Amino acid sequence: MSLPPEKASELKQLIHQQLSKMDVHGRIREILAETIREELAPDQQHLSTEDLIKALRRRGIIDDVMKELHFVTDSVEQELPSSPKQPICFDRQSTLKKTNIDPTRRYLYLQVLGGKAFLEHLQEPEPLPGQVCSTFTLCLHYRNQRFRSKPVPCACEPDFHDGFLLEVHRESLGDGTRMADSTTMLSISDPIHMVLIKTDIFGETTLVASYFLEWRSVLGSENGVTSLTVELMGVGVDKFVTYLELKNIFFNFKLALERQKTAEKERLFLVYAKQWWREYLQIRPSHNSRLVKIFAQDENGINRPVCSYVKPLRAGRLLDTPRQAARFVNVLGYERAPVIGGGGKQEQWCTLLAFLCRNKGDCEDHANLLCSLLLGYGLEAFVCVGTKAKGVPHAWVMTCGTDGTITFWESLTGHRYIHKPTNPDEPPVAEQPKPLYPYRTIGCVFNHQMFLGNCQPSDAVETCVFDLNDESKWKPMSEEAIKSVCAPGATTSLPPFPPLCASTIDASVTSNEIEMQLRLLVSEHRKDLGLTTVWEDQLSYLLSPALASYEFERTTSISAGNEEFQDAIRRAVPDGHTFKGFPIHFVYRNARRAFATCLRSPFCEEIICCRGDQVRLAVRVRVFTYPESACAVWIMFACKYRSVL
């Protein structure tokens, strides 16, 4: 590869700085003098290059230089206009696996040196070798590159020692292959999003902290190396202060003007939003009680326009269809934000990275992600904010077809509903379509470009007309105003959207592990009841098509393969015998927790505790993996026995 003269000169300067930092030149001079004094024969006039290289290698100089270049790649599924670059994670203890560093590109090296003042774990004893304990994991996202640190035991001063090599590149086609100059890097306003996750001994995850690191403001030292302490505020009801020590390598820029522009844009949008709300209330006084959500607080308590939580998101080759995307969002765990002392629902909409790293969130988090994915597939999608039965606030997704069909997508279950409005002016004897969806009222709809408040006489979903272009039914916000604060790059405070990561779960291995654990749990449970357990492997295998059919139906809403399964079971069960089966679905991989849930079902307990003649038991587990290591776990317990009257 040939380089332009100015690039070659810059690369030489970088190499020279590294060699000077290690004092390689001084060590070479010492070894040269020593070699001439000890090894040069009286009749020799000079040393050859080969002799000098042998002496340097013998004394470990070359090895010391190479040790500074140990990088490990960590692949992330991403789809960019130009050829994607793989993010690189640096570990001082690792061996050289693969180096993918382009000397013509700019890189930012971020090193985490440790944590302090995690006071929640002040009294926690140091774990013994091999002991299972709670862990912290630090997740990072920067310009379509995602990183994850090694899990470290939870402690007052957790021992984080990881480094991350971030590529500072331009996403536009053509510019991505050129080395970014100072002007280009000054225009890159994307922060480094850091999310701290705690995983307990049962595998449950908790969002500890979320922080946006402005890397340009801390890169000003003469040698291009700056150390700083990041203050992480706890999220939700567990607010506390912790610290991470970081070291950053790059340049320093003044950001006052940029921050001032961002603050001015946000101020103007707030003024406009207040004016829009006053106009909305003047239409009808009852509008004051409708769920019209213009701003929402993120995990750090920062108010952001709701439109900023949605953006067209392409899943690359990880998800093939919109319905598969809905299934993926559905298998992410559901958890309401905790509330201290009751009194209502906690206000917290997570940024996408925090939601994905935790692998669970509230209904708004699920709806925002599903809407973003459907927009990525080219659909006209909106997040709907309203209520379910008993006035419980809820969020779901709506798509508008080119033929006017309105489809509701429930992000927590993956179910789809076609909306057919009822006419309240029709006489009582007239037949009206009966709604199948659980939604009662709707206050507003939004996506990344539009925000519309429902100004129809009634906010009941069943009577709503979703003609979004009719301003007598839906009051729109100015698209230009929304674009000024929600468009990509509009403000520096806008959270960046990370790409989805491929699953790291081996479906076959995990299925076998859970199945073996369940067999052991069933055998122990029956032993406590004084019953013997005989497993039939062939019957267990015959349950596989049913589990695959159940997942296929959840993904496509199409039932297939049931006839073959029933025929195989009829052949496997002799005359005079009875077969019973119980399928159940989970979104976690904890076998003991799943078994306890199954026992609460009288149908499943009847199978597990089956008594009779020639009782044979079977269990089959099938794990279906999705991006972000989310998974759908299907379990079927079955038994066959001779019927005795």
Side-chain angles (χ1 to χ4, degrees):
M1 180 182 66
S2 60
L3 295 175
E6 64 276 8
K7 303 300 181 185
S9 176
E10 186 171 0
L11 179 59
K12 290 178 181 178
Q13 181 64 25
L14 292 174
I15 295 173
H16 176 74
Q17 291 177 359
Q18 180 65 21
L19 295 178
S20 300
K21 181 181 176 182
M22 298 178 60
D23 195 26
V24 173
H25 297 96
R27 297 170 68 182
I28 290 177
R29 284 193 292 270
E30 293 176 4
I31 292 173
L32 179 59
E34 181 180 347
T35 304
I36 293 175
R37 185 171 59 253
E38 296 178 1
E39 301 179 9
L40 190 61
D43 55 340
Q44 281 185 287
Q45 298 300 319
H46 65 278
L47 282 173
S48 65
T49 304
E50 291 78 8
D51 293 334
L52 181 57
I53 291 177
K54 288 180 181 178
L56 294 174
R57 190 182 300 276
R58 191 163 57 246
R59 287 162 175 78
I61 300 300
I62 295 179
D63 291 339
D64 289 344
V65 175
M66 296 305 295
K67 284 179 181 177
E68 296 292 318
L69 301 176
H70 285 188
F71 296 92
V72 181
T73 61
D74 179 21
S75 62
V76 173
E77 178 74 20
Q78 54 182 331
E79 192 170 281
L80 297 174
S82 57
S83 58
K85 294 290 184 180
Q86 304 298 333
I88 299 172
C89 180
F90 174 78
D91 183 2
R92 292 174 297 181
Q93 305 300 325
S94 63
T95 56
L96 182 62
K97 292 185 179 179
K98 184 178 179 182
T99 302
N100 188 23
I101 299 179
D102 187 346
T104 67
R105 309 292 287 273
R106 300 281 192 187
Y107 293 91
L108 176 68
Y109 178 61
L110 178 69
Q111 185 177 1
V112 184
L113 302 177
K116 293 181 178 179
F118 285 68
L119 301 181
E120 183 180 302
H121 303 276
L122 186 61
Q123 303 297 329
E124 204 157 302
E126 189 172 340
L128 300 173
Q131 179 184 356
V132 178
C133 62
S134 301
T135 60
F136 285 131
T137 305
L138 186 64
C139 305
L140 275 72
H141 168 236
Y142 177 71
R143 295 179 66 81
N144 259 17
Q145 302 164 83
R146 288 182 62 182
F147 307 84
R148 181 181 290 265
S149 71
K150 292 187 181 70
V152 300
C154 294
C156 184
E157 296 188 359
D159 188 25
F160 287 108
H161 282 290
D162 283 286
F164 309 94
L165 193 68
L166 290 68
E167 183 178 351
V168 185
H169 59 79
R170 301 237 3 224
E171 295 180 354
S172 57
L173 188 62
D175 290 343
T177 58
R178 298 203 303 251
M179 180 177 284
D181 55 19
S182 300
T183 304
T184 301
M185 287 187 291
L186 182 60
S187 67
I188 299 176
S189 59
D190 300 45
I192 301 172
H193 192 182
M194 306 168 64
V195 171
L196 188 62
I197 300 294
K198 177 183 176 181
T199 306
D200 65 19
I201 58 176
F202 303 106
E204 292 295 314
T205 56
T206 305
L207 176 61
V208 178
S210 174
Y211 184 81
F212 292 93
L213 176 64
E214 176 50 78
W215 55 272
R216 295 173 298 173
S217 64
V218 298
L219 306 170
S221 68
E222 184 178 350
N223 298 324
V225 179
T226 302
S227 296
L228 67 150
T229 299
V230 171
E231 184 177 300
L232 302 179
M233 299 297 296
V235 302
V237 298
D238 296 322
K239 283 193 177 294
F240 57 92
V241 182
T242 59
Y243 300 93
L244 284 180
E245 293 183 3
L246 305 176
K247 182 186 291 184
N248 229 327
I249 303 177
F250 222 76
F251 306 100
N252 180 41
F253 298 103
K254 292 184 179 180
L255 307 174
L257 180 61
E258 191 175 87
R259 289 172 178 165
Q260 183 180 353
K261 290 181 178 179
T262 294
E264 180 63 14
K265 288 182 179 180
E266 293 175 346
R267 186 190 68 82
L268 291 175
F269 180 78
L270 178 60
V271 170
Y272 170 77
K274 289 180 177 179
Q275 176 63 30
W276 183 94
W277 177 246
R278 284 193 293 268
E279 294 173 357
Y280 181 73
L281 293 181
Q282 290 173 4
I283 297 175
R284 197 173 286 110
S286 61
H287 286 182
N288 191 43
S289 62
R290 296 188 180 184
L291 279 179
V292 179
K293 196 81 177 161
I294 304 175
F295 295 91
Q297 286 187 356
D298 65 10
E299 63 268 20
N300 292 316
I302 298 175
N303 280 312
R304 302 183 188 277
V306 292
C307 295
S308 68
Y309 290 88
V310 176
K311 173 187 173 183
L313 181 63
R314 295 169 61 179
R317 300 188 185 276
L318 298 178
L319 299 168
D320 296 322
T321 66
R323 296 194 185 189
Q324 192 178 18
R327 178 58 173 160
F328 156 59
V329 177
N330 159 222
V331 299
L332 291 171
Y334 169 65
E335 181 181 77
R336 295 186 62 176
V339 180
I340 289 182
K345 187 174 184 292
Q346 173 72 21
E347 173 66 31
Q348 180 178 299
W349 291 25
C350 281
T351 55
L352 182 56
L353 183 64
F355 177 40
L356 294 177
C357 292
R358 189 172 52 155
N359 247 237
K360 57 186 176 183
D362 213 332
C363 60
E364 294 88 358
D365 304 323
H366 287 78
N368 290 335
L369 175 56
L370 178 56
C371 183
S372 297
L373 289 168
L374 296 182
L375 288 169
Y377 282 110
L379 301 180
E380 186 180 10
F382 297 86
V383 175
C384 304
V385 179
T387 63
K388 292 197 299 184
K390 298 181 180 179
V392 177
H394 191 63
W396 66 97
V397 178
M398 173 185 76
T399 54
C400 306
T402 54
D403 59 352
T405 301
I406 301 299
T407 306
F408 293 149
W409 302 63
E410 178 48 60
S411 58
L412 296 180
T413 63
H415 294 161
R416 300 167 65 252
Y417 309 95
I418 302 299
H419 172 67
K420 296 180 180 179
T422 60
N423 187 352
D425 298 328
E426 289 284 338
V429 294
E431 185 178 356
Q432 297 277 12
K434 186 177 180 180
L436 301 176
Y437 44 78
Y439 318 120
R440 294 295 178 263
T441 66
I442 182 169
C444 64
V445 300
F446 67 88
N447 61 16
H448 63 301
Q449 294 177 328
M450 301 173 65
F451 183 95
L452 302 108
N454 182 8
C455 54
Q456 299 174 60
S458 171
D459 61 350
V461 177
E462 60 183 4
T463 62
C464 258
V465 177
F466 288 91
D467 181 4
L468 302 182
N469 295 318
D470 187 349
E471 294 191 11
S472 67
K473 294 180 172 64
W474 295 92
K475 179 174 175 57
M477 270 194 171
S478 165
E479 293 189 22
E480 287 300 318
I482 295 173
K483 186 178 179 181
S484 68
V485 291
C486 297
T491 65
T492 57
S493 62
L494 196 65
F497 266 53
L500 297 181
C501 286
S503 176
T504 59
I505 298 173
D506 188 317
S508 298
V509 172
T510 307
S511 299
N512 288 334
E513 290 177 350
I514 298 175
E515 189 171 310
M516 290 300 104
Q517 293 173 28
L518 288 175
R519 283 197 176 198
L520 181 61
L521 291 169
V522 171
S523 299
E524 291 177 347
H525 185 74
R526 288 177 61 85
K527 183 178 179 181
D528 293 340
L529 299 175
L531 301 173
T532 60
T533 305
V534 180
W535 296 100
E536 185 171 317
D537 292 339
Q538 177 61 15
L539 183 59
S540 296
Y541 180 73
L542 295 182
L543 304 178
S544 296
L547 302 182
S549 176
Y550 298 149
E551 182 62 21
F552 182 76
E553 184 176 359
R554 287 292 183 96
T555 305
T556 64
S557 301
I558 299 173
S559 179
N562 194 41
E563 298 82 2
E564 294 87 348
F565 168 67
Q566 292 183 4
D567 185 64
I569 293 299
R570 290 191 186 100
R571 292 176 179 275
V573 179
D575 292 339
H577 284 65
T578 300
F579 171 84
K580 293 181 178 180
F582 177 79
I584 191 168
H585 167 257
F586 299 99
V587 294
Y588 52 82
R589 305 187 302 277
N590 188 320
R592 188 172 294 275
R593 178 182 171 190
F595 182 68
T597 302
C598 292
L599 285 179
R600 288 198 288 269
S601 167
F603 301 103
C604 186
E605 185 184 22
E606 184 179 345
I607 293 173
I608 293 174
C609 305
C610 180
R611 297 172 182 266
D613 187 22
Q614 298 182 19
V615 175
R616 298 293 183 269
L617 294 175
V619 62
R620 193 65 171 173
V621 177
R622 182 70 165 85
V623 175
F624 297 88
T625 59
Y626 289 91
E628 300 296 328
S629 297
C631 62
V633 180
W634 282 96
I635 302 173
M636 179 179 276
F637 291 97
C639 69
K640 68 177 182 178
Y641 57 94
R642 182 192 295 271
S643 302
V644 179
L645 298 177

